[in-house]
Amino acid sequence: MVLPIFGAVVDGVLIGLAYGLVAAGLGLIWGVMDIVNFAHGEHMLIAMYVTLLASANFNISPIILLPVNAALMFVVGYGTYAIIIKKTMDGPVLGQVLCTFGLLLTIRYGIIYFAGPSTRTINNFVVAGSTTAYGISVSYPAVLTAIVSLLTIGLLYFILQRSSVGKAIRATAQDKQAAQVMGINTNRIYATSWGIGLAATGIAGTMIATHFPIQPNATPGIWTIASFAAVALGGLGSIFGAVIGGVVIGLVQNIGASLLDPSYQQLYVYIVLIVALLYQREGILNWVSDQ
Amino acid sequence: MSGAVKFVSRIVDLQSIPLLYLIPAIFIPALALPQFATTYFFLNTLIYVLLFVGLGQSWNIIGGYAGQISLGHAVMFASGAYTTGILFIYYDITPYVGLLVSGLLAAAVGLILGALTFRLRYHYFSIATLAATLGAYVVFLQWDWIGGAVGLEYPLSQIGSSFSLMFSSRELYFYVMWVFALGTTLLVYQLHISKLGIYLKAIDIDQELAENAGISAFWYKMYAMGLSSFVAGIGGGLFAQYVLFIEPRILLELIRNVEFVLIPVIGGLGTVLGPIVGAVVYIFTREYTRTLLGGTQTGLSWVIFGMVLILISVYRPNGLIERRPAIGNIGTDTEETKSGIESGADDD
Amino acid sequence: MCVTKESSGSHVVSRRSMLKITGTAAAVGLAGCSQSGSGGGDTFSIGALHPLSGDAAEMGSRFQDVVGAGVQAVNQGSDLSPLAGAEGEGIQGQDGATVEVLWRDHQGASDVARSEAESLVLDENVDMLTGCFYSGSTQAVSQVAEREGIPHVCGTAIGEGLTERGLDWFWQVPPHTGVKGESMFNFASDMNSEFNAGLERVAIVHQNGTFGTEVANSMVGVIEENSEFVQAPETISYDASSVTSLSAQIQTIQDADADIIVHAANVRDALIMLEDMKTEDYYPEMMLTPGSAYLDPSVLEESVSEHVLSGADFSNDMYNVHPPMGEYNSYAQENSGTPFDGSNIYAWGEFFTAVAAANKADSLDPADLQNALNSLSLDPYAAGLPYPVDFDDNGYNSEAFSFVVQADGGKLETVWPFEQAQDNVMTYPVPDWSER
């Protein structure tokens, strides 16, 4: 049973990088303003459906849609904060939880209302096929997804470290009052964080749609939970933490299915999530400011 | 928008009427409702309203008073449903006893969950409870002894027998649920005016401060969780006795967990009457929109619920009914008390 | 007289139910319809409980389409023969009573199914209940039927134990999963004897919901009875809503040297299975599914689903062997825009079994309908299905049979029984992925 484990490891890493990208998006929002986006998977679903429908109806390649979805999801994120989330910032945490929960329902069922509940796939993706080496098979779209995820994570890191926006974001995350004193418009920074976070998710969603069948009820939950678990594991400590967390989750899923009873595959992720939450260090400086 | 809400709440100023009058004023006339039910559908809706008043009160205890936003209450609900069902279907134990056992078992489950997760705060606690309920769903689906995915069916032959708590008359179910709703409301009322209630509120507002004042947050939260879970478990058992067929999906799906939260939140978190308002609003909307919109408008009712939730979170995060002040005579009309005692979570 | 009104949309809503829905019960007087339901009156009222929202909504909508066409065929008369109730306007056996179908959405939840069923029986006074596709909902509805003494004709749920619960008011029309399993393995056995296929080891993979679990149990039972086949590896299940990859399961199956894979799945995991098999460049000797997801248009339109074999009660070329089914299909397509497919054919049969009972019964009283159903003996095609309808003492249609179909270019072709297959239709052995 040695070889199957390697296959599981490879699969786990490939999808784990995508989990990492999505988790980075979630973690950015979470780290900067302490809001957990329960609708994260549903936001990803928006980008997925743009990809699915554009590809099916207009033959637009997902590659072209990468920047399109990134821009679109940036606007969606920015707008979501500016129009909705901002209003809950001064209220109780309950309000923020309810708000993103309401977004979950609205987005998911809105998509179902307009596009129907059926499962969709993309058939005409330029990159197709698979390869086998040393007894391990991988599909090209899966590899491409992992590569795009890595590049995007790198881009994210670069933005946060080098750009002035990134520095402003980190400053705000570290100390909101101080940032305001220094003239940073915190609301705009929050909105930008939402925009960047969801843009990252949009990129991941675009690639995922190329090689996974997407079903609006089942798909978002998987990604929301995976990204929660990844962030909980990696700690709000660094962007790379989110990525490593994502890879760990991918490995847990695949190795768990391979070695242990696959019927309980998702349960392993839930257990890891709970354990990660329980053993997280208290009082972490949030990850953005920790760079 | 908030102006309109204020206008309405001024008309319906429940704050000035003591709860001791309001509760019977609501519940006693309610007894007559079955007489006015011209359709079974209406009566069925009322039955679910009463059941969900109880379930809403259950969540109210832990979410409204203790401020712990649990997204996993369906686990206790399901535990109660299966306990009552299994005790009766497999072992012929009357549900009148089974319900009590269900409450206790669900309380145990809740306490274990609480023991594990109460050191987590705010979002972290919510995520952990969400993971717990999703995990429980997987486990229950695989668990053959309780029927697994296929579910458990009640023996129809037992309908009408004196110890089965299965009635052919729907009116009787109404009264059973009425007792449940009244009982849980009185329980929360008792909590509201008791020291426990004040301590829970204090923990909710500022846990550190409460701890410094000598209130053991953990044990009080556990107590609240135990109570809350006990009630949820009994509710689950009653649900099983009404529907007569239980399966993991209807007990543990995400929506079930959401309902526990929606109902007290819509009506008024941390208030005694909130879950009543919330249950009426939610259940009537749910049942009638399904009939009106279900066939032709896939999921539209949920889109609307989602938007309602967003609106509530922005304008009235504490629900339609404002909280009464926790402590005796602080019944002023200042904006602060009117807006409810907020969870101090965001003060960190 | 209450006339069914066709909407311009994709499904039929009777005027009376529309009025009930909008709550303006008083307005019923407009149409001169009797308020209190139709028992013994001039309308045969059927309460149909199906998933009209949620994951199966599109399938439910296709149910409504074909049943709507069926309602029209009965009420307006048609020359579809020998379809029960189709000749003459209305149901001839009930002096030309019209049929109406009141649709209710149970969303796949058994508690909702129960509430809606009770509303149909106690508020709408339907004469008969039909439904519900999902086993759990079917059980809950059949309980209501039993309590209230109203017949429940189920043509859309295929759980094996449904008729073994000692109910007097429940009948199941289609072949249950056990019968389907027998068909599937009789096919495999014939492949062994006719073509030396050498099939022996069977891998059963299923989603952990009700459908998957029930099917798996039936399959295990069939294999145990059949000494020709053995299960290898142990039954594999997975969580349908959260699975993202079945590679590990495929590896286990490969390691166990399985010849046949039986996969009970939803659409999403069916596609995942096929895609993952392609990535692994693996295909079993025989991919033999119990249908459902593998017969769904969303799966059939994908090239990976090519050549999959399924136990089914429908194929696109069955009309060659069952010409009346072809006429019914044309009628349904012309009148509703929706042709038959692997799922809605069950709804069609469910409806016409109900109509056949009404046609035969002395009156529309429950007891008469019950007698009619118990003594029903319909020739093939009379209930709109390719097999006869004749219920045994448990209420199960022992005449129902399944056949085996193969996906070819998005269409389903009958491959077994061999006599019912067209010439040279079957592709076996299935070519490797690289050769497709």
Side-chain angles (χ1 to χ4, degrees):
Chain A
M1 276 283 277
V2 177
L3 237 44
I5 290 294
F6 290 160
V9 167
V10 169
D11 286 340
V13 170
L14 288 178
I15 196 169
L17 287 171
Y19 285 153
L21 176 57
V22 176
L26 177 79
L28 174 59
I29 297 170
W30 195 339
V32 170
M33 66 195 93
D34 204 22
I35 293 215
V36 175
N37 181 16
F38 282 92
H40 208 59
E42 276 70 19
H43 283 113
M44 194 178 174
L45 201 64
I46 297 175
M48 287 170 161
Y49 265 78
V50 169
T51 313
L52 289 164
L53 295 172
S55 172
N57 294 327
F58 305 114
N59 237 326
I60 303 178
S61 169
I63 304 288
I64 298 180
L65 289 169
L66 277 173
V68 171
N69 275 333
L72 172 69
M73 293 314 294
F74 181 88
V75 170
V76 169
Y78 197 100
T80 301
Y81 176 80
I83 302 173
I84 303 175
I85 306 285
K86 181 167 90 165
K87 300 198 165 98
T88 64
M89 290 300 284
D90 292 327
V93 174
L94 172 66
Q96 291 150 18
V97 173
L98 291 179
C99 193
T100 56
F101 231 90
L103 280 172
L104 185 166
L105 295 175
T106 310
I107 297 175
R108 182 193 291 200
Y109 288 97
I111 289 179
I112 291 178
Y113 178 63
F114 285 111
S118 51
T119 304
R120 293 173 187 265
T121 58
I122 290 183
N123 295 320
N124 48 2
F125 190 35
V126 161
V127 176
S130 58
T131 181
T132 309
Y134 307 106
I136 300 172
S137 305
V138 289
S139 75
Y140 289 132
V143 175
L144 185 61
T145 302
I147 293 174
V148 171
S149 300
L150 264 177
L151 289 175
T152 312
I153 289 165
L155 183 62
L156 209 56
Y157 182 75
F158 182 80
I159 291 177
L160 284 168
Q161 287 297 105
R162 295 299 158 89
S163 73
S164 51
V165 166
K167 289 182 183 154
I169 290 177
R170 282 164 33 222
T172 311
Q174 196 162 9
D175 191 331
K176 177 179 172 185
Q177 258 95 17
Q180 279 176 326
V181 163
M182 293 196 323
I184 296 177
N185 182 332
T186 48
N187 268 320
R188 211 174 283 171
I189 291 299
Y190 285 165
T192 307
S193 306
W194 265 85
I196 296 178
L198 290 194
T201 310
I203 292 176
T206 310
M207 291 311 299
I208 290 294
T210 63
H211 64 105
F212 275 110
I214 307 296
Q215 205 275 336
N217 269 315
T219 304
I222 300 172
W223 288 88
T224 305
I225 288 292
S227 50
F228 280 6
V231 171
L233 269 178
L236 292 181
S238 78
I239 184 173
F240 294 121
V243 175
I244 292 174
V247 171
V248 170
I249 294 302
L251 288 172
V252 166
Q253 272 187 335
N254 282 281
I255 296 180
S258 185
L259 276 183
L260 306 170
D261 189 342
S263 312
Y264 295 99
Q265 180 177 22
Q266 200 62 2
L267 183 63
Y268 309 139
V269 175
Y270 301 140
I271 292 175
V272 167
L273 170 53
I274 293 179
V275 168
L277 285 171
L278 288 176
Y279 289 100
Q280 222 189 21
R281 295 163 309 183
E282 293 281 84
I284 298 175
L285 291 177
N286 73 55
W287 66 270
V288 176
S289 60
D290 222 16
Q291 301 309 317
Chain B
M1 173 73 178
S2 58
V5 174
K6 278 202 197 107
F7 178 69
V8 171
S9 62
R10 210 155 281 154
I11 295 178
V12 189
D13 189 7
L14 301 168
Q15 303 281 23
S16 52
I17 310 172
L19 279 169
L20 212 46
Y21 297 152
L22 272 182
I23 293 178
I26 294 174
F27 276 90
I28 294 184
L31 281 172
L33 279 171
Q35 311 308 321
F36 298 100
T38 51
T39 60
Y40 163 78
F41 192 76
F42 184 68
L43 184 58
N44 178 54
T45 307
L46 290 176
I47 291 172
Y48 274 113
V49 166
L50 290 169
L51 175 65
F52 276 86
V53 166
L55 298 180
Q57 293 291 17
S58 152
W59 200 87
N60 198 15
I61 296 174
I62 193 72
Y65 284 87
Q68 306 300 307
I69 306 164
S70 156
L71 297 177
H73 252 57
V75 177
M76 284 75 83
F77 177 71
S79 306
Y82 273 111
T83 306
T84 308
I86 286 174
L87 285 176
F88 182 62
I89 299 171
Y90 290 1
Y91 302 113
D92 286 325
I93 296 178
T94 168
Y96 291 103
V97 167
L99 282 174
L100 191 58
V101 178
S102 295
L104 293 171
L105 198 139
V109 170
L111 287 171
I112 294 173
L113 196 58
L116 270 178
T117 56
F118 272 144
R119 56 166 133 166
L120 299 173
R121 309 285 295 282
Y122 320 128
H123 311 290
Y124 299 97
F125 175 74
S126 303
I127 296 172
T129 55
L130 182 64
T133 186
L134 294 172
Y137 193 1
V138 174
V139 170
F140 276 63
L141 278 174
Q142 298 291 125
W143 195 354
D144 287 326
W145 182 66
I146 63 165
V150 177
L152 278 183
E153 196 173 5
Y154 273 71
L156 289 179
S157 53
Q158 294 295 322
I159 292 182
S161 112
S162 56
F163 75 109
S164 70
L165 213 132
M166 293 160 67
F167 314 115
S168 56
S169 144
R170 277 70 177 186
E171 276 86 17
L172 283 176
Y173 277 111
F174 176 90
Y175 296 123
V176 168
M177 298 298 185
W178 183 91
V179 170
F180 181 59
L182 178 62
T184 53
T185 304
L186 289 175
L187 176 68
V188 172
Y189 171 69
Q190 206 33 51
L191 183 74
H192 186 83
I193 61 176
S194 74
K195 258 196 317 189
L196 173 64
I198 294 176
Y199 290 164
L200 289 176
K201 281 268 169 71
I203 294 169
D204 182 18
I205 295 171
D206 191 332
Q207 184 164 322
E208 275 75 29
L209 198 56
E211 294 261 14
N212 289 338
I215 299 173
S216 163
F218 179 74
W219 287 110
Y220 278 105
K221 285 198 277 194
M222 286 288 271
Y223 190 38
M225 187 64 156
L227 267 182
S228 171
S229 306
F230 180 78
V231 172
I234 293 187
L238 287 174
F239 180 79
Q241 292 294 132
Y242 182 54
V243 179
L244 301 180
F245 178 82
I246 53 179
E247 50 177 349
R249 176 176 172 165
I250 61 176
L251 296 173
L252 283 165
E253 58 183 342
L254 183 67
I255 301 300
R256 253 328 70 86
N257 292 282
V258 171
E259 285 174 343
F260 268 95
V261 179
L262 262 183
I263 285 171
V265 162
I266 292 177
L269 208 49
T271 67
V272 177
L273 300 177
I276 299 176
V277 172
V280 170
V281 169
Y282 173 72
I283 295 291
F284 269 90
T285 310
R286 176 184 91 167
E287 297 293 304
Y288 283 88
T289 56
R290 179 182 68 240
T291 309
L292 270 175
L293 300 176
T296 54
Q297 319 277 335
T298 309
L300 190 60
S301 53
W302 282 110
V303 176
I304 295 174
F305 271 129
M307 298 200 291
V308 165
L309 211 49
I310 294 174
L311 286 172
I312 289 178
S313 71
V314 167
Y315 294 110
R316 285 287 257 239
N318 289 312
L320 290 172
I321 299 182
E322 298 298 8
R323 294 191 199 197
R324 290 165 178 262
I327 301 163
N329 335 355
I330 314 182
T332 68
D333 275 354
T334 65
E335 261 308 308
E336 271 187 34
T337 33
K338 271 279 194 237
S339 68
I341 300 173
E342 295 176 353
S343 157
D346 53 319
D347 285 345
D348 287 316
Chain C
M1 174 138 109
C2 288
V3 177
T4 49
K5 171 187 166 195
E6 273 170 64
S7 66
S8 55
S10 61
H11 62 271
V12 176
V13 178
S14 81
R15 176 176 296 159
R16 194 156 68 90
S17 70
M18 196 118 92
L19 289 169
K20 281 286 186 196
I21 287 168
T22 56
T24 56
V28 169
L30 275 177
C33 295
S34 75
Q35 168 78 317
S36 64
S38 64
D42 37 44
T43 311
F44 175 49
S45 179
I46 298 177
L49 292 126
H50 284 294
L52 302 177
S53 65
D55 293 351
E58 295 186 341
M59 182 198 73
S61 162
R62 294 197 298 269
F63 283 11
Q64 288 180 308
D65 292 345
V66 294
V67 172
V71 168
Q72 192 176 342
V74 171
N75 288 341
Q76 297 180 7
S78 71
D79 50 14
L80 296 171
S81 120
L83 196 53
E87 79 277 5
E89 291 182 22
I91 302 175
Q92 297 308 302
Q94 293 294 330
D95 293 325
T98 52
V99 66
E100 68 172 358
V101 178
L102 303 183
W103 291 91
R104 289 291 185 271
D105 175 18
H106 60 58
Q107 303 176 323
S110 45
D111 57 329
V112 175
R114 180 194 164 277
S115 300
E116 294 287 8
E118 287 190 318
S119 170
L120 282 169
V121 171
L122 297 171
D123 294 333
E124 307 285 347
N125 296 304
V126 296
D127 298 306
M128 193 176 283
L129 291 170
T130 59
C132 316
F133 187 67
Y134 292 112
S135 260
S137 306
T138 304
Q139 283 184 288
V141 170
S142 64
Q143 282 186 315
V144 173
E146 191 79 5
R147 288 169 74 171
E148 302 303 325
I150 295 285
H152 176 195
V153 170
C154 171
T156 45
I158 58 172
E160 188 171 350
L162 287 173
T163 49
E164 283 159 29
R165 299 178 294 139
L167 300 178
D168 296 325
W169 291 91
F170 179 73
W171 293 265
Q172 187 181 26
V173 180
H176 62 54
T177 49
V179 169
K180 182 169 289 192
E182 279 168 18
S183 303
M184 286 158 63
F185 285 97
N186 287 340
F187 162 67
S189 183
D190 281 354
M191 290 298 286
N192 282 342
S193 53
E194 300 274 320
F195 298 101
N196 278 330
L199 303 164
E200 187 199 346
R201 301 163 73 79
V202 183
I204 299 177
V205 189
H206 70 94
Q207 49 97 287
N208 65 355
T210 314
F211 166 69
T213 311
E214 281 182 333
V215 166
N217 290 339
S218 295
M219 297 294 146
V220 170
V222 168
I223 293 175
E224 278 171 5
E225 301 279 309
N226 191 328
S227 54
E228 197 174 339
F229 300 102
V230 67
Q231 223 189 321
E234 292 288 300
T235 311
I236 300 172
S237 78
Y238 57 85
D239 181 37
S241 61
S242 61
V243 73
T244 52
S245 156
L246 288 168
S247 302
Q249 289 83 346
I250 291 170
Q251 189 62 56
T252 311
I253 293 170
Q254 262 184 296
D255 290 341
D257 260 329
D259 303 311
I260 303 178
I261 296 182
V262 174
H263 185 204
N266 290 340
V267 169
R268 197 178 69 93
D269 29 300
L271 288 171
I272 290 177
M273 173 67 102
L274 293 169
E275 291 283 349
D276 283 353
M277 289 203 304
K278 184 171 176 188
T279 301
E280 305 282 332
D281 198 16
Y282 166 75
Y283 205 83
E285 265 309 295
M286 179 178 286
M287 186 77 182
L288 184 62
T289 82
S292 198
Y294 283 93
L295 306 178
D296 192 282
S298 308
V299 175
L300 287 175
E301 65 191 20
E302 302 293 325
S303 59
V304 283
S305 70
E306 192 86 340
H307 308 311
V308 170
L309 294 151
S310 299
D313 307 337
F314 166 82
S315 70
N316 293 104
D317 65 0
M318 68 193 280
Y319 314 126
N320 294 307
V321 184
H322 305 286
M325 298 299 298
E327 285 172 36
Y328 303 158
N329 181 44
S330 306
Y331 185 91
Q333 175 134 36
E334 274 161 35
N335 286 289
S336 72
T338 303
F340 288 158
D341 62 49
S343 307
N344 65 9
I345 193 175
Y346 289 112
W348 171 266
E350 183 177 76
F351 171 73
F352 279 102
T353 306
V355 167
N359 203 20
K360 178 170 185 183
D362 293 333
S363 80
L364 294 177
D365 287 343
D368 287 332
L369 286 170
Q370 185 184 34
N371 285 332
L373 282 163
N374 282 331
S375 61
L376 208 57
S377 183
L378 297 174
D379 288 334
Y381 318 121
L385 296 164
Y387 41 78
V389 176
D390 198 327
F391 298 109
D392 64 15
D393 292 333
N394 284 337
Y396 174 68
N397 177 20
S398 43
E399 300 287 336
F401 60 73
S402 255
F403 35 98
V404 177
V405 302
Q406 189 172 38
D408 185 0
K411 297 279 177 208
L412 296 166
E413 293 168 345
T414 309
V415 297
W416 184 92
F418 297 138
E419 319 81 71
Q420 293 194 19
Q422 300 305 292
D423 294 332
N424 297 323
V425 133
M426 181 162 61
T427 307
Y428 190 85
V430 172
D432 290 340
W433 290 109
S434 49
E435 289 159 28
R436 296 200 204 179

